[in-house]
Each structure stands twice: as structure tokens, then as C-alpha cells.
Amino acid sequence: MAFTLRVSQAGTESEEFPFDGGEARLGRTADNDVVIKDPSSSRSHARVYEEEGRFFVEDLKSANGTKLNARTLKSALELKNGDRITIGDVTLEFSCPEANDTLLGAPSSTVDEASAEPAPEEDPNATVVKPPSKAAAAIIAQARRPPVRKAPTPPPDDEPAAEEAPLGAEEDEDQPSDSTGNFAVPPPKALQKRGATAAVVRAPRGASGGEVAAPISAAERARARRELQKSSSGRAMLLWSDLPLAGKIAVGVIGGGAIIASLVFLVIAIIPHRSERKIEQVTLTPNGDPLPESYGSGDSVDFERPDMKSFSFTFASPTAIVGVLHYQARDCGKDEVTIELNGAQLGNVPPDTVEVAQRQLEIVLPSTQLKVNESNELVFDNVNNPPGQDTWAIWNAWVEVIPIPRMSAEEAGRRAKEDLERAARMYDLRSVGAMNLFRSWKQYRDAWLLLEATPDRPPELLEIARSRMREIRPELDRKCSGMLVDYQKEMNQKYPNIAVARQVLANIPSHFEKEHPCYGMSRGLLRNLEDLAGVE
């Protein structure tokens, strides 16, 4: 059965996709039947399929979900003509008149009809139960009355009197008594309440009462008390039963308070304290400070997005510009995370190395892909969608925008040559000024970016700039590591001097600017020191 999906998005014209039945896949990548170019769309987002002449829509475990007529899909739902499927800001209208005809012919099932039950028919052979007569009702009422203890019947005059039991002998259970031969044995209160050893005396035949609980003998009470004394639980029961009412109330209040206090401490220890939720950054400021938060998937990630993280930035420039994306990354495999600018793929995040924590990554943003005075979208896209248990993270992301004056290839080559000569002079003076080594590296880098943005650039100058950058970078990294080691030595002392550690970090910006990761790391460690000082 044929159907049509009409795709529309705010600010764009709608487009129709006809299908002859079967299945239509929806998602962000080109292998789908309908490609959804929206940041909220997953690589394989949803599908529309036919089954026994009926059409259904199903979400394929996407990151941001699918909506049908403004309701989020939890499972596959049947479609009818005119239904609207929403993925992010994109709407797909399902059109199939035959589907409505099928639904109209189907029997309706409302709640009232489903809940209604036919009245039961009378069975002519059923036995009619009549109410009991007055005599039967009286017998039933008499049986339900509580049992009445009946006084024992005195023996006839012609029967001989019972012989007196010897001293200390147990009395007959049928002849209860409250004392032994010469002293009274009070029953334990625990036994009085439990009635565990109470004898049951059956009423004589013909009496109106039922069974009557007769009190136990004094000997039985003494024997039961001795049995309870043999165990700790029994001794506790006897002690509790012998307590007065005021003592029981006091013990109950103290024990209940201790239990409640223990539960409160347990709840406080188990439930984590809620901290103020951060606002996720989605906008990058050109030439601004790096974002210290981590994005991706994993335990140490501030804002988790298993498959993608996007940023936007806007800049204004009267001339052509070249941009550079700076970031750090870890737990990324080869070709796992791609970098896209305004829908065009620029490259992949390099796989991890030994120095992943100090590694500063950058990629050139071509001037042909950048939009002046418009919003630019920068996306880190994990091709494992979703990545499952694999962790990945990016942090310290920022965009550098460098204006490039309009000039010919000859003029660009002449200016790049001047930058290379200036960089060489600063490198010779690297031991004189604290910033000279970094400025030499940055001057080589400026020459490289100028040549990257110039068509028909001199290839020999471009190679000199690239090679000198690679040679100087390890020197900068070793210098940064030495200063961070001084900081760690101070913090690892038994009684660290926070002022000295703070001074080491405060001195790092006099050797590096934000183009090197040492600058960002020092700022983060300094913030941690300030928080530690605030706690103390």
C-alpha cells in the first residue's frame, strides 16, 4: 500500500517523499530513506513500516526521542492519514487515504462498551436459598455468644473427700490452686499476657458455654519461669514483664528515638547532596576563554551526550578570516569522533596517546566554510550511535578567529617570510625573556595560518613554518611540565603551603598564553586552590 511523507521545517519549503509500501528509515546519515538534517536527530532515528495492511511508526532508541502528534513515542504506534511525526524541529506528515478507510471499517471499542457486561440470565434449575427461621436464628445467636465460665459442681455427700497432697507435690490440673504447701508463687506477667501454659477446660455436655481457659497451677508457673531463665531471650521477656507501666513507656520512647536517629543518619549518609546544576554551554565566544567542562559520555563528564555535542559561534570581520578550533580529548578511538563545521566534515579527533591529559589538539576552520555575521555550527559527532559503554570526552574547547587581510600570493609570501625571520630571532633569545620561547612558536604558527588561508602559497615557506612549530612544541611542553612538578611537590607535602603553590600557578601566564594547554591547566588548578581555601 503506497504512502507519502511530507517533510517540513521552519523557514524551509516542504518536500514530499512517496513510498510504495514496505519501510521508510529516518535519520541523520545519508543511508536513510529520509535524511533529517537536525542536531536533535540521531544517525538511525526512527522508521515507518507496513504490517498486514496497517502502518506503524517506531522510535529506534534515538537520543532525543520521536513524537507522534506532539506525544513522545514509547513503543510502536499505528498511523492514520494526516498524523504528524516530529523529530527535533522537523515535521513529517503521513499521508495514506487507504489507511483511513481500513480504520473506518474496523469495529469500534470504546471504554463503555468494553466495560459493559450482559445481565446474567436466570437459571430455572438453581436452588433458592431462603432466610433461616426464627428458631434457627436463635440457635446461631446463642452459639455466637462469648463463653461463660461455669462454677465447678460440688461433689455429692456420699463421695469421700480427696486426700491432701504431700508438701511440694504438684497439684492436679483439674483442681487449680494459687499456692503450694506453705508459700504463694505469683505468676510471671509475661505468662499472664501470653497465656502459653493455660489449661483449656471443656464445658460439660449440655452446657451453653464453649471452652474455658483455666488458670495454671502455681507449680506450673514456677516451672515455666525456670524454663524462661535458661535463655537470654526468656530472661529479657521476664524482665520486660516485671517492669511497671511507666518503665515500659520510658524504654519504648528511648528505643524508638534511637531507631529513628539511626535511620536519619543512614539516609543522610546514603543520599548524595544535591549540588547546584550547571548551565550547559552551547555557545562559543571567538577568541574567548576555553570551556573547562567536559562533554561526551563517561563518569567524569559534566554534561553527558552519548552521540553528539554541538556548539555555535558568530563573528564579524570586514576581511577574510581563518579560524582554529582548540580542544582536548580522551578515550577516543581511531575515526570514532568526527568534527563538522556547518554540515561539512573537517576531520576526526586523533586517538589517545600517552600524554593525553596535556595534549592540546587543534584543527583549521577553512575560510570557505565560515559564515561572516551568521551563526556557525560546530559539531563533535560520535559515529558509534549510541556508543554504549564506551566513554569519550572533549573539554577546554574554544575557537580562535584570525583576520587575514586581502593580499596576493606574492604579498602573503613576503609577510610570511618576515614572520619566520621574527620567530627565529625570538627563539635565539628564549633564555632572556620568559615569554620569548612561546612567542617564537606563536610567530611560526601565525605564518603557517597565513599561508594556509592563501591560495597558490609558496610551499617551501609553508613547510618551514610547520616543521619549526613541531620542533619548538616539545620544548614548551617540557617547560610546562617542570612548572607543574613544582606545584605538585608543594601540594604533596604533609603540610602544604597554599600560598607558595598559588604563586607557582600565578607565574605560568608569564610564560604561556592560552594557545598552549599549560595556560588553561594553571587556571583550573588555581580555581581548585581557591575552592580549597574557601572550604578551610
Side-chain angles (χ1 to χ4, degrees):
M1 189 184 302
F3 66 95
T4 304
L5 294 176
R6 178 176 297 171
V7 183
S8 60
Q9 189 176 12
T12 62
E13 296 183 359
S14 61
E15 186 176 359
E16 290 189 356
F17 294 86
F19 297 92
D20 294 332
E23 180 182 80
R25 290 256 175 179
L26 319 175
R28 192 171 72 244
T29 57
D31 56 350
N32 291 280
D33 299 306
V34 180
V35 178
I36 307 297
K37 285 295 184 181
D38 188 272
S40 300
S41 172
S42 295
R43 300 177 69 86
S44 182
H45 198 102
R47 67 169 182 147
V48 175
Y49 63 96
E50 181 183 4
E51 186 174 308
E52 297 181 357
R54 301 162 66 188
F55 289 93
F56 298 85
V57 59
E58 180 184 16
D59 183 80
L60 300 178
K61 298 181 180 180
S62 63
N64 293 307
T66 307
K67 293 183 179 180
L68 175 63
N69 298 329
R71 296 180 62 185
T72 303
L73 284 176
K74 301 296 183 182
S75 59
L77 293 181
E78 186 172 359
L79 290 169
K80 58 180 179 293
N81 190 39
D83 279 351
R84 302 172 70 85
I85 304 168
T86 305
I87 299 175
D89 295 332
V90 178
T91 302
L92 301 91
E93 182 177 348
F94 173 80
S95 176
C96 182
E98 291 83 353
N100 260 15
D101 296 340
T102 304
L103 291 174
L104 290 173
S108 61
S109 59
T110 62
V111 176
D112 296 337
E113 292 174 352
S115 60
E117 296 181 359
E121 298 181 358
E122 296 185 358
D123 187 0
N125 298 324
T127 303
V128 179
V129 179
K130 296 181 179 180
S133 61
K134 294 183 178 180
I139 294 174
I140 294 173
Q142 181 69 22
R144 291 178 177 175
R145 290 177 182 173
V148 179
R149 182 174 177 177
K150 190 173 181 180
T153 306
D157 297 335
D158 55 352
E159 280 189 26
E163 295 182 1
E164 184 177 355
L167 182 63
E170 295 181 1
E171 297 178 349
D172 189 5
E173 293 181 357
D174 294 334
Q175 300 294 331
S177 175
D178 292 337
S179 64
T180 58
N182 56 1
F183 61 90
V185 181
K189 296 181 181 180
L191 298 180
Q192 290 178 0
K193 290 194 173 184
R194 294 176 62 198
T197 58
V200 179
V201 180
R202 195 172 299 277
R205 188 181 299 276
S208 60
E211 295 180 350
V212 180
I216 63 175
S217 65
E220 288 291 338
R221 295 186 192 120
R223 180 171 28 188
R225 194 177 186 93
R226 288 194 299 271
E227 291 294 329
L228 291 175
Q229 290 287 351
K230 294 180 179 179
S231 62
S232 57
S233 60
R235 290 193 294 271
M237 291 175 58
L238 290 174
L239 180 62
W240 174 260
S241 63
D242 293 337
L243 282 176
L245 179 60
K248 292 180 178 179
I249 294 176
V251 172
V253 171
I254 295 173
I259 293 174
I260 293 175
S262 301
L263 291 176
V264 170
F265 285 121
L266 181 62
V267 170
I268 294 175
I270 293 177
I271 298 179
H273 299 286
R274 292 185 177 180
S275 57
E276 185 177 354
R277 186 175 179 84
K278 296 181 181 179
I279 300 176
E280 183 175 359
Q281 293 290 338
V282 295
T283 303
L284 294 176
T285 302
N287 299 328
D289 292 332
L291 300 181
E293 291 83 9
S294 297
Y295 302 89
S297 177
D299 295 336
S300 60
V301 174
D302 297 328
F303 301 100
E304 186 166 357
R305 175 66 190 267
D307 62 338
M308 184 179 66
K309 172 58 187 174
S310 61
F311 300 100
S312 63
F313 64 93
T314 306
F315 66 92
S317 176
T319 63
I321 64 105
V322 62
V324 180
L325 169 64
H326 301 263
Y327 66 98
Q328 290 184 261
R330 68 171 181 274
D331 300 335
C332 297
K334 183 180 179 182
D335 301 335
E336 180 182 357
V337 181
T338 63
I339 302 175
E340 300 177 3
L341 175 63
N342 296 327
Q345 183 172 335
L346 301 181
N348 299 313
V349 174
D352 290 359
T353 61
V354 177
E355 300 177 349
V356 66
Q358 292 81 26
R359 182 181 58 167
Q360 177 73 40
L361 301 173
E362 58 185 27
I363 188 171
V364 176
L365 307 179
S367 57
T368 56
Q369 294 292 333
L370 290 171
K371 301 177 182 178
V372 182
N373 298 322
E374 295 184 30
S375 178
N376 294 269
E377 185 179 24
L378 191 63
V379 177
F380 290 87
D381 189 359
N382 194 313
V383 296
N384 293 341
N385 184 21
Q389 301 300 322
D390 296 334
T391 60
W392 68 286
I394 59 166
W395 74 98
N396 280 344
W398 67 285
V399 172
E400 181 183 10
V401 175
I402 305 171
I404 303 296
R406 300 183 184 276
M407 61 182 69
S408 62
E410 293 78 8
E411 187 177 359
R414 180 182 56 80
R415 181 170 174 178
K417 190 174 180 180
E418 293 175 356
D419 290 341
L420 295 176
E421 293 174 354
R422 192 179 302 112
R425 288 194 300 269
M426 288 184 179
Y427 183 77
D428 293 337
L429 299 175
R430 62 187 181 280
S431 59
V432 177
M435 190 68 77
N436 284 345
L437 182 62
F438 174 80
R439 287 175 179 170
S440 174
W441 174 83
K442 187 176 181 182
Q443 203 71 51
Y444 282 119
R445 182 173 172 274
D446 290 343
W448 165 63
L449 292 175
L450 174 63
L451 295 172
E452 283 283 354
T454 303
D456 301 328
R457 53 189 174 263
E460 65 279 1
L461 296 181
L462 181 61
E463 181 58 31
I464 292 174
R466 285 176 175 172
S467 61
R468 290 297 293 155
M469 285 175 56
R470 288 194 295 265
E471 293 170 1
I472 297 176
R473 185 57 183 266
E475 295 186 49
L476 287 173
D477 295 341
R478 286 193 296 270
K479 187 176 182 180
C480 174
S481 299
M483 301 181 75
L484 293 179
V485 165
D486 293 340
Y487 163 78
Q488 290 295 342
K489 284 181 179 178
E490 187 59 42
M491 294 301 296
N492 291 335
Q493 298 292 330
K494 185 176 181 180
Y495 301 103
N497 192 328
I498 302 299
V500 174
R502 184 185 292 112
Q503 184 59 39
V504 173
L505 296 177
N507 191 37
I508 288 180
S510 63
H511 296 262
F512 301 92
E513 294 179 0
K514 63 182 179 181
E515 287 82 3
H516 192 276
C518 199
Y519 180 91
M521 285 188 290
S522 67
R523 300 301 90 190
L525 293 173
L526 196 57
R527 284 193 295 268
N528 294 339
L529 278 183
E530 298 299 335
D531 295 339
L532 181 62
V535 171
E536 293 178 350

